[in-house]
Amino acid sequence: NAGVTQTPKFRILKIGQSMTLQCTQDMNHNYMYWYRQDPGMGLKLIYYSVGAGITDKGEVPNGYNVSRSTTEDFPLRLELAAPSQTSVYFCASSYYQGGDNEQFFGPGTRLTVL
Amino acid sequence: AQSVTQLDSQVPVFEEAPVELRCNYSSSVSVYLFWYVQYPNQGLQLLLKYLSGSTLVESINGFEAEFNKSQTSFHLRKPSVHISDTAEYFCAVRPSYGKLTFGQGTILTVHP
């Protein structure tokens, strides 16, 4: 049981390039989330999904897109990368949302946009 | 809407000293409270959580947190820290049905 896995671990992009951050979970969780973590800012929710085919915006969705074609995978797409997207990105999953349900986090992807 | 304020961005302590990481929250509805820990170059892990009942909750590695409803606080404490406790700690809140809101994080550095 690998939990939540993310690839790549590190990436450097040039301004205007695009990339996809991959996230996979093997716990059969319905809910999946993408956060970005910036120093001194905590974690901000970018997008989340309540199940295959259903996604919704979080607090900071601009510049990102997501899709959820399967229960296991929740990729995050960056189109036209900007320096403001330099951050550490975490994917998380949970069985359901709310209450005492624990979110499980992946190890993160450290992205630098130059 | 909810908000979380962690009052200290960095807390340096010596090994075997006590530590308190402070967390205050604001919410118009009842919330569940969480502390997550992030060790260097890793993702977040749940440390402990308050749901209901006893206001003092404990983790398996000696941390405890006390829910204070009147002060809307959920401070994290440990009576004697180890080098291995060096990490960033996040306080978070969530209503009965809703999304997690995280604080800004507190970096705990334990010195020998």
Side-chain angles (χ1 to χ4, degrees), chain A residues 37 45 90 97 99-101, chain B residues 32 38 51 90 94 96 99:
Chain A
Q37 182 186 24
L45 183 64
F90 289 100
Q97 187 179 69
D100 66 340
N101 200 241
Chain B
Y32 299 108
Q38 183 182 27
L51 308 176
F90 292 93
R94 181 168 62 201
S96 298
K99 294 177 283 295

Side-chain angles (χ1 to χ4, degrees), chain B residues 6-74:
Chain B
Q6 292 183 241
L7 298 167
D8 306 291
S9 59
Q10 298 191 50
V11 174
V13 295
F14 288 107
E15 196 171 18
E16 298 184 4
V19 70
E20 178 180 76
L21 307 183
R22 297 179 293 167
C23 172
N24 288 110
Y25 71 93
S26 172
S27 178
S28 57
V29 299
S30 295
V31 293
Y32 299 108
L33 298 154
F34 305 83
W35 276 99
Y36 281 83
V37 58
Q38 183 182 27
Y39 297 106
N41 300 312
Q42 294 185 26
L44 278 71
Q45 304 171 34
L46 181 65
L47 186 61
L48 48 77
K49 60 187 176 184
Y50 172 77
L51 308 176
S52 62
S54 173
T55 57
L56 186 66
V57 291
E58 299 178 353
S59 71
I60 59 173
N61 58 353
F63 281 94
E64 62 181 29
E66 186 162 17
F67 169 57
N68 188 318
K69 187 174 182 179
S70 62
Q71 297 186 4
T72 59
S73 67
F74 191 52

Side-chain angles (χ1 to χ4, degrees), chain A residues 14 16 18 33 42 56 63 96 104 110-111:
Chain A
K14 295 182 179 179
S18 301
Y33 315 82
D56 206 350
Y96 61 90
F104 293 84
R110 187 174 296 274
L111 175 67

